[in-house]
Amino acid sequence: MIILGIDPGIATTGFGVCRKVGDRFEYINCGVIETAKGQPVERRIRHVHDSVVKLIETYKPHVLAIEELFFSNNQKTVINVAQARGCILLAAEERGIPIFEYTPLQVKQSVVGFGRAEKRQVMEMVRILFHLPGVPRPDDAADALAIALTHGYRSSNKIARMQTLQDSKKTGGK
């Protein structure tokens, strides 16, 4: 199973692609989609959408795993991330790719084993689990790989898989 993990953002969207083979994970690629700060938001959203479409066409993922939106004190940031998430979800939906959403707590728990793990711990576990020579950079790319790993782990755990399917039904398959 090829998993495309996405850490959404309007300025920087991280992506991580891996293959799950049995109980192992194989690193394929990771990176970021960046948009220029001075551009109108609609142009930035279009760039994110088109870039995700290219990722889907290039890697042909079986699923897309994306970080669930969480609220922060900065409403403008939340709105921009929500807009980026929307165009990413649309790109996957247009191509019939199943979408699974995970909270930061679920990602930390799946990758590190502790839901309150620090960011550096998550990044180091991503490096270890993929047998990489260094921590993927920038942080958004490592986060996206962690999201992809989370889906891989949860999809192989029967209880977690049942919970994910129940959650998916509650949100209409998204």
mmCIF file of all heavy atoms in Angstrom, residues 10 37 69-83:
data_model
loop_
_atom_site.group_PDB
_atom_site.id
_atom_site.type_symbol
_atom_site.label_atom_id
_atom_site.label_comp_id
_atom_site.label_asym_id
_atom_site.label_seq_id
_atom_site.Cartn_x
_atom_site.Cartn_y
_atom_site.Cartn_z
ATOM 1 N N ILE A 10 -0.788 26.807 4.156
ATOM 2 C CA ILE A 10 -0.934 27.673 2.984
ATOM 3 C C ILE A 10 0.443 28.117 2.478
ATOM 4 O O ILE A 10 0.672 28.171 1.273
ATOM 5 C CB ILE A 10 -1.866 28.882 3.247
ATOM 6 C CG1 ILE A 10 -2.261 29.576 1.935
ATOM 7 C CG2 ILE A 10 -1.253 29.868 4.209
ATOM 8 C CD1 ILE A 10 -3.222 28.802 1.094
ATOM 9 N N LYS A 37 4.430 34.262 -0.397
ATOM 10 C CA LYS A 37 3.653 35.034 0.565
ATOM 11 C C LYS A 37 2.859 36.179 -0.074
ATOM 12 O O LYS A 37 1.742 36.431 0.312
ATOM 13 C CB LYS A 37 4.578 35.586 1.651
ATOM 14 C CG LYS A 37 3.861 36.233 2.793
ATOM 15 C CD LYS A 37 4.821 36.652 3.890
ATOM 16 C CE LYS A 37 4.051 37.189 5.065
ATOM 17 N NZ LYS A 37 4.941 37.554 6.169
ATOM 18 N N LEU A 69 -7.432 19.294 11.253
ATOM 19 C CA LEU A 69 -7.300 20.691 11.643
ATOM 20 C C LEU A 69 -7.550 20.835 13.133
ATOM 21 O O LEU A 69 -8.504 20.276 13.672
ATOM 22 C CB LEU A 69 -8.305 21.546 10.864
ATOM 23 C CG LEU A 69 -8.226 23.050 11.044
ATOM 24 C CD1 LEU A 69 -6.864 23.568 10.604
ATOM 25 C CD2 LEU A 69 -9.315 23.730 10.254
ATOM 26 N N PHE A 70 -6.659 21.546 13.792
ATOM 27 C CA PHE A 70 -6.870 21.853 15.198
ATOM 28 C C PHE A 70 -6.881 23.362 15.340
ATOM 29 O O PHE A 70 -6.292 24.081 14.548
ATOM 30 C CB PHE A 70 -5.812 21.196 16.089
ATOM 31 C CG PHE A 70 -4.420 21.707 15.852
ATOM 32 C CD1 PHE A 70 -3.880 22.701 16.646
ATOM 33 C CD2 PHE A 70 -3.644 21.194 14.827
ATOM 34 C CE1 PHE A 70 -2.601 23.171 16.423
ATOM 35 C CE2 PHE A 70 -2.365 21.650 14.599
ATOM 36 C CZ PHE A 70 -1.840 22.647 15.393
ATOM 37 N N PHE A 71 -7.574 23.832 16.342
ATOM 38 C CA PHE A 71 -7.756 25.266 16.508
ATOM 39 C C PHE A 71 -6.604 25.877 17.278
ATOM 40 O O PHE A 71 -6.066 25.281 18.201
ATOM 41 C CB PHE A 71 -9.081 25.557 17.216
ATOM 42 C CG PHE A 71 -10.258 25.131 16.407
ATOM 43 C CD1 PHE A 71 -10.876 23.918 16.642
ATOM 44 C CD2 PHE A 71 -10.728 25.926 15.374
ATOM 45 C CE1 PHE A 71 -11.948 23.505 15.880
ATOM 46 C CE2 PHE A 71 -11.801 25.520 14.600
ATOM 47 C CZ PHE A 71 -12.421 24.307 14.858
ATOM 48 N N SER A 72 -6.234 27.071 16.859
ATOM 49 C CA SER A 72 -5.183 27.807 17.559
ATOM 50 C C SER A 72 -5.710 29.201 17.867
ATOM 51 O O SER A 72 -6.836 29.549 17.514
ATOM 52 C CB SER A 72 -3.929 27.888 16.688
ATOM 53 O OG SER A 72 -4.152 28.754 15.597
ATOM 54 N N ASN A 73 -4.878 29.976 18.503
ATOM 55 C CA ASN A 73 -5.286 31.342 18.853
ATOM 56 C C ASN A 73 -5.302 32.261 17.643
ATOM 57 O O ASN A 73 -5.974 33.273 17.649
ATOM 58 C CB ASN A 73 -4.342 31.908 19.925
ATOM 59 C CG ASN A 73 -4.477 31.164 21.241
ATOM 60 O OD1 ASN A 73 -5.530 30.609 21.538
ATOM 61 N ND2 ASN A 73 -3.408 31.154 22.018
ATOM 62 N N ASN A 74 -4.561 31.908 16.611
ATOM 63 C CA ASN A 74 -4.461 32.746 15.430
ATOM 64 C C ASN A 74 -5.525 32.316 14.407
ATOM 65 O O ASN A 74 -5.331 31.361 13.668
ATOM 66 C CB ASN A 74 -3.057 32.644 14.835
ATOM 67 C CG ASN A 74 -2.832 33.629 13.708
ATOM 68 O OD1 ASN A 74 -3.773 34.109 13.083
ATOM 69 N ND2 ASN A 74 -1.570 33.912 13.434
ATOM 70 N N GLN A 75 -6.642 33.040 14.370
ATOM 71 C CA GLN A 75 -7.751 32.673 13.494
ATOM 72 C C GLN A 75 -7.375 32.750 12.017
ATOM 73 O O GLN A 75 -7.824 31.936 11.221
ATOM 74 C CB GLN A 75 -8.958 33.553 13.776
ATOM 75 C CG GLN A 75 -9.592 33.262 15.111
ATOM 76 C CD GLN A 75 -10.809 34.141 15.371
ATOM 77 O OE1 GLN A 75 -11.046 35.129 14.682
ATOM 78 N NE2 GLN A 75 -11.571 33.791 16.389
ATOM 79 N N LYS A 76 -6.538 33.717 11.650
ATOM 80 C CA LYS A 76 -6.135 33.838 10.247
ATOM 81 C C LYS A 76 -5.362 32.596 9.805
ATOM 82 O O LYS A 76 -5.568 32.081 8.710
ATOM 83 C CB LYS A 76 -5.295 35.094 10.034
ATOM 84 C CG LYS A 76 -4.923 35.328 8.594
ATOM 85 C CD LYS A 76 -4.228 36.651 8.414
ATOM 86 C CE LYS A 76 -3.642 36.738 7.053
ATOM 87 N NZ LYS A 76 -4.167 37.459 6.063
ATOM 88 N N THR A 77 -4.492 32.097 10.670
ATOM 89 C CA THR A 77 -3.738 30.886 10.354
ATOM 90 C C THR A 77 -4.663 29.698 10.183
ATOM 91 O O THR A 77 -4.517 28.915 9.242
ATOM 92 C CB THR A 77 -2.700 30.594 11.470
ATOM 93 O OG1 THR A 77 -1.806 31.696 11.543
ATOM 94 C CG2 THR A 77 -1.924 29.331 11.182
ATOM 95 N N VAL A 78 -5.634 29.556 11.074
ATOM 96 C CA VAL A 78 -6.585 28.438 10.996
ATOM 97 C C VAL A 78 -7.371 28.501 9.699
ATOM 98 O O VAL A 78 -7.551 27.484 9.029
ATOM 99 C CB VAL A 78 -7.536 28.430 12.218
ATOM 100 C CG1 VAL A 78 -8.663 27.440 12.025
ATOM 101 C CG2 VAL A 78 -6.769 28.121 13.483
ATOM 102 N N ILE A 79 -7.808 29.683 9.327
ATOM 103 C CA ILE A 79 -8.583 29.833 8.091
ATOM 104 C C ILE A 79 -7.726 29.465 6.884
ATOM 105 O O ILE A 79 -8.171 28.720 6.002
ATOM 106 C CB ILE A 79 -9.142 31.269 7.969
ATOM 107 C CG1 ILE A 79 -10.241 31.469 9.012
ATOM 108 C CG2 ILE A 79 -9.669 31.537 6.557
ATOM 109 C CD1 ILE A 79 -10.690 32.904 9.178
ATOM 110 N N ASN A 80 -6.492 29.939 6.844
ATOM 111 C CA ASN A 80 -5.615 29.626 5.708
ATOM 112 C C ASN A 80 -5.306 28.134 5.631
ATOM 113 O O ASN A 80 -5.307 27.561 4.544
ATOM 114 C CB ASN A 80 -4.319 30.435 5.787
ATOM 115 C CG ASN A 80 -4.534 31.889 5.429
ATOM 116 O OD1 ASN A 80 -5.488 32.243 4.756
ATOM 117 N ND2 ASN A 80 -3.639 32.746 5.889
ATOM 118 N N VAL A 81 -5.044 27.509 6.780
ATOM 119 C CA VAL A 81 -4.785 26.063 6.780
ATOM 120 C C VAL A 81 -6.044 25.313 6.335
ATOM 121 O O VAL A 81 -5.959 24.351 5.571
ATOM 122 C CB VAL A 81 -4.298 25.577 8.162
ATOM 123 C CG1 VAL A 81 -4.212 24.055 8.206
ATOM 124 C CG2 VAL A 81 -2.940 26.185 8.494
ATOM 125 N N ALA A 82 -7.213 25.765 6.790
ATOM 126 C CA ALA A 82 -8.471 25.128 6.388
ATOM 127 C C ALA A 82 -8.672 25.231 4.876
ATOM 128 O O ALA A 82 -9.122 24.272 4.240
ATOM 129 C CB ALA A 82 -9.647 25.757 7.127
ATOM 130 N N GLN A 83 -8.323 26.367 4.298
ATOM 131 C CA GLN A 83 -8.452 26.519 2.850
ATOM 132 C C GLN A 83 -7.495 25.574 2.122
ATOM 133 O O GLN A 83 -7.882 24.933 1.134
ATOM 134 C CB GLN A 83 -8.183 27.966 2.448
ATOM 135 C CG GLN A 83 -9.275 28.913 2.906
ATOM 136 C CD GLN A 83 -8.922 30.375 2.663
ATOM 137 O OE1 GLN A 83 -7.762 30.764 2.697
ATOM 138 N NE2 GLN A 83 -9.940 31.175 2.411
#
